Amino acid sequence: MTDAPATATEAPPDRPAAVPLRKQLRRLATQLGPARMATTILFLLVAVFIARMSWQLPLAGDAERALYDSRATLMAPHVSQDPRIVMVTYNDETLFNTGIRSPLDRTLLTHALANIDAMGAKAIGIDILFDSPRPDDDALKAQLRAMRTPTWLAYVTQDSNPNTIYFEQQKFLESFLTDVTTDRTRPTSVRLMATDDGVVRNWPDRPKGLPPLMANALAPVDPAHADYQGNIRFLMPERATADQEEPVFANIPIDTFAVPMDAETRAGFAELVRGRYVLIGGDIIDNDQFSTPLSRLPDLQSGERETMIGLEVHAHMLAQQLDGAWSRPVPGWGLWLLALLVVIAGGITSLVDLKARWVILIFALQMVFFLAYPFWLQKIGVDTTNLPAFGQALGWLFGFVAVGSAARTIGSRQRAFAQSALGKYLPADVAAQIMRDPEQLSLHGERRNIFCVFTDLEGFTKLSHATTPETVARLLNEYLDRLSDVVLAHGGTIDKFVGDAVVAFWGAPLSRPDDGPQAAAAALAMYRAGEKFRVDLAAADVPPLGMTRVGLHVGDAIVGNFGGEGRIQYTALGDSMNTASRLEAANKSLKTGVLISAEAAARAGRDDLVPMGRVTLRGRAQPVDVFTPRPDLSAEQRARIAEMVAAHAAGDKNVFVTCATALAGEFSQEPSIMFLIERLNETEEGASYVLS
């Protein structure tokens, strides 16, 4: 028989061909059954819902917020100090110097406003609520009414900020603002919106009755974004040196501008505010502090999770508006489409039928996609505050589990089909291949290098004539079951049973690096299992059985499904199988239990093999060096036997005689060793003993 040339489309010899994905999907739909199909579809719908609505779900929403904060921080633009905006603040040192904490010292503010108004600021936003009286109110009111620079004063309502102001304070605030409102001095909303976890991520809504938001009031805003409620683009400072960074917005203590100034002094300070938007407010510990996405990760310099004053949040919003950096939201239909696609991807991945390395690669690429693409969207200016990145990963996992579970259900039904249709004619590896794709049950063969094992039970024919057929069947089944377990436990393929004989091989349909050691270990284990069976049977009222003889050889054979359209058998054909069979038979002549050819011994990885000389097997012309496993002997005993055989092969008669004499005395009760010595004495140096 000659080898057929392999084509480019054939599967590797150690793995079955992949089943086309379309074919798997069609089989999945037709074989799943209505109830299981309905459950799978329901599970997939839940997966799509999670992949779309995870921001609104418990726990998943927390994960989404954490992921968004990480994106907003890691993808935040790193910029140098913004020359358009400056913050003028009351800080803790200011409060210490004035001795006034709440309400803030308004005389200080009056003087600062007078100087800043004369320095040419573009606009002024004051994030201080004048919600309670102070003795210096009249002076401040007079200054506010006299402002030439557009000035915007903080305003909130009890309805929109119930934790910030109560009724009496709101009444005073409205009265104060009424007294100072001019065409240049007007109220502005300083409303900020934190989510359930207390983090400010988005621009606030604009309830009716509130004046314009501070950022919208200070600078013109295009009508399309007048009610923008997307994410706030928070900026990060560029690092000036390894240990120092310049803040995004200059923060100048209000004391700097509150001192009396003549024209020359004022001109010197004017560069700090001329042409800039000036935001005035508090930078006080534990007051008006907000968590932002930047608070999620520790600051690189301080190592702390830093909060941000409300005034700075307004500064970031103003800078975003001035830059026109409005994030583009992902439309609702797009989020539903993404949810559907990721669930489909998870389901399809569970059906991928490729080599392990390709499956791992596909899985890794999808995981990288889930991790990376939200960051990429954040980087290019897409609003990801509603992007369910965590939910999509969960949806993918649910899709993977739902479809994979359905496929496993079908797989179990296919296994039942294979067992009923094929019975036990095929080994487990081949049956698994057929269950993956029943259409692969075709007639073909391929040349493989395999380890072949043949066994035979001495005395079984005599037993079969001396007892009932039922007893014979029971004993034979028990015996074959024990030997089959040994073969399967060592990764072998059971070829066939011939009466009480077991034929097995290693290296097909799947070849493994340890086929040789496993086959050799199985040969010895099968011999021992036969001996155990013989001992267990001694108490029964049946004729005694002899030993189980085992032969092992390695060589090429044609392996595959052979037969006709109505009956096939997975088997191996070739000279290596015949050699293994004759090795098994040679045990009887050589008085051994296991014989292993030199070719198989070289790949057996065992150190307990003893050479049994060179023999010419029945019906063979080529002599074979044979070995038998003897773990019961010491290494020194095995070495002396090997030395005797080597001396005979080399024609060193003196060494041979010395070794043979010593071994004959030591192993006088060992038939196999004594017959080895006898055979070597009867043959010339290196010659083969012919088995008749």
Side-chain angles (χ1 to χ4, degrees), residues 71-117:
R71 293 194 296 271
T73 301
L74 296 175
M75 296 294 106
H78 286 67
V79 298
S80 56
Q81 191 168 95
D82 195 326
R84 303 165 298 178
I85 302 170
V86 60
M87 297 189 300
V88 176
T89 59
Y90 288 82
N91 56 31
D92 288 279
E93 185 176 355
T94 304
L95 303 188
F96 179 80
N97 292 334
T98 61
I100 301 172
R101 186 170 188 87
S102 181
L104 297 174
D105 188 342
R106 293 175 186 171
T107 299
L108 208 63
L109 177 60
T110 301
H111 295 157
L113 285 174
N115 287 322
I116 293 171
D117 190 36

Side-chain angles (χ1 to χ4, degrees), residues 41-62:
I41 292 175
L42 179 61
F43 204 75
L44 291 174
L45 291 175
V46 171
V48 172
F49 178 80
I50 292 174
R52 169 61 183 90
M53 305 300 294
S54 57
W55 273 91
Q56 286 74 43
L57 300 177
L59 300 180
D62 296 336

Side-chain angles (χ1 to χ4, degrees), residues 236-247 297-306:
M236 296 283 283
E238 266 184 351
R239 191 165 295 282
T241 66
D243 301 316
Q244 186 178 6
E245 62 186 20
E246 189 176 46
L297 300 178
D299 181 75
L300 294 178
Q301 281 189 302
S302 67
E304 300 290 332
R305 288 180 170 83
E306 298 185 350

Side-chain angles (χ1 to χ4, degrees), residues 585-637:
N587 280 292
K588 186 173 183 179
S589 299
L590 302 186
K591 307 183 189 311
T592 53
V594 180
L595 278 181
I596 302 175
S597 67
E599 294 86 350
R603 296 166 61 182
R606 299 183 69 89
D607 58 5
D608 60 356
L609 298 181
V610 171
M612 298 305 290
R614 179 172 296 171
V615 298
T616 300
L617 301 172
R618 291 189 183 95
R620 318 293 289 180
Q622 187 71 25
V624 178
D625 290 316
V626 293
F627 294 78
T628 189
R630 290 299 301 270
D632 56 313
L633 301 182
S634 67
E636 186 269 336
Q637 289 174 315

Side-chain angles (χ1 to χ4, degrees), residues 328-349:
R328 304 179 301 278
V330 181
W333 65 265
L335 294 176
W336 281 111
L337 179 61
L338 278 173
L340 181 62
L341 290 177
V342 297
V343 173
I344 291 174
I348 291 177
T349 303

Side-chain angles (χ1 to χ4, degrees), residues 285-621:
I285 295 174
D286 297 331
N287 185 267
D288 198 34
Q289 299 283 339
F290 292 88
S291 293
T292 69
L294 306 185
S295 307
R296 177 71 64 175
L297 300 178
D299 181 75
L300 294 178
Q301 281 189 302
S302 67
E304 300 290 332
R305 288 180 170 83
E306 298 185 350
T307 56
M308 184 179 294
I309 58 173
L311 191 71
E312 188 174 357
V313 176
H314 287 292
H316 282 278
M317 294 164 66
L318 177 59
Q320 182 178 359
Q321 178 177 308
L322 293 173
D323 293 335
W326 308 109
S327 296
R328 304 179 301 278
V330 181
W333 65 265
L335 294 176
W336 281 111
L337 179 61
L338 278 173
L340 181 62
L341 290 177
V342 297
V343 173
I344 291 174
I348 291 177
T349 303
S350 71
L351 298 177
V352 169
D353 186 23
L354 298 172
K355 287 185 176 180
R357 63 175 179 270
W358 292 112
V359 174
I360 293 173
L361 178 62
I362 292 172
F363 178 80
L365 288 175
Q366 291 184 79
M367 292 304 100
V368 169
F369 170 78
F370 283 124
L371 290 173
Y373 99 94
F375 286 86
W376 175 72
L377 291 179
Q378 184 78 23
K379 184 71 174 179
I380 64 173
V382 174
D383 185 355
T384 64
T385 53
N386 64 343
L387 181 70
F390 180 74
Q392 289 172 1
L394 278 181
W396 183 95
L397 180 62
F398 275 45
F400 184 93
V401 171
V403 177
S405 175
R408 284 191 295 274
T409 299
I410 291 176
S412 64
R413 293 177 180 175
Q414 289 175 342
R415 284 192 292 273
F417 161 77
Q419 289 177 355
S420 62
L422 303 178
K424 298 184 179 179
Y425 294 107
L426 298 180
D429 288 337
V430 181
Q433 178 177 333
I434 300 305
M435 285 187 285
R436 288 165 57 85
D437 184 8
E439 294 178 12
Q440 288 192 358
L441 195 60
S442 58
L443 305 179
H444 70 278
E446 58 183 349
R447 184 176 295 276
R448 303 294 290 269
N449 189 257
I450 62 173
F451 290 82
C452 316
V453 166
F454 269 74
T455 73
D456 186 60
L457 178 58
E458 185 179 19
F460 185 78
T461 301
K462 181 179 178 181
L463 182 145
S464 64
H465 290 296
T467 188
T468 64
E470 293 79 9
T471 302
V472 172
R474 177 178 59 81
L475 295 177
L476 180 60
N477 285 336
E478 182 181 348
Y479 173 76
L480 294 178
D481 192 45
R482 295 191 187 191
L483 266 61
S484 298
D485 287 345
V486 172
V487 173
L488 298 177
H490 288 80
T493 297
I494 300 174
D495 183 338
K496 62 177 75 73
F497 302 123
V498 183
D500 58 86
V502 176
V503 183
F505 51 80
W506 282 253
L510 303 176
S511 60
R512 302 177 179 88
D514 62 345
D515 280 337
Q518 289 283 23
L524 179 58
M526 293 171 82
Y527 167 77
R528 289 173 170 171
E531 291 299 287
K532 176 77 164 50
F533 178 76
R534 183 162 61 148
V535 171
D536 293 343
L537 203 64
D541 186 20
V542 294
L545 293 172
M547 73 168 64
T548 294
R549 297 189 293 261
V550 184
L552 170 63
H553 181 60
V554 63
D556 288 344
I558 304 301
V559 183
N561 297 314
F562 299 97
E565 291 299 327
R567 172 74 166 83
I568 69 167
Q569 182 177 7
Y570 186 83
T571 188
L573 305 174
D575 187 66
S576 59
M577 301 292 284
N578 296 331
T579 300
S581 175
R582 283 164 172 75
L583 282 170
E584 175 273 311
N587 280 292
K588 186 173 183 179
S589 299
L590 302 186
K591 307 183 189 311
T592 53
V594 180
L595 278 181
I596 302 175
S597 67
E599 294 86 350
R603 296 166 61 182
R606 299 183 69 89
D607 58 5
D608 60 356
L609 298 181
V610 171
M612 298 305 290
R614 179 172 296 171
V615 298
T616 300
L617 301 172
R618 291 189 183 95
R620 318 293 289 180

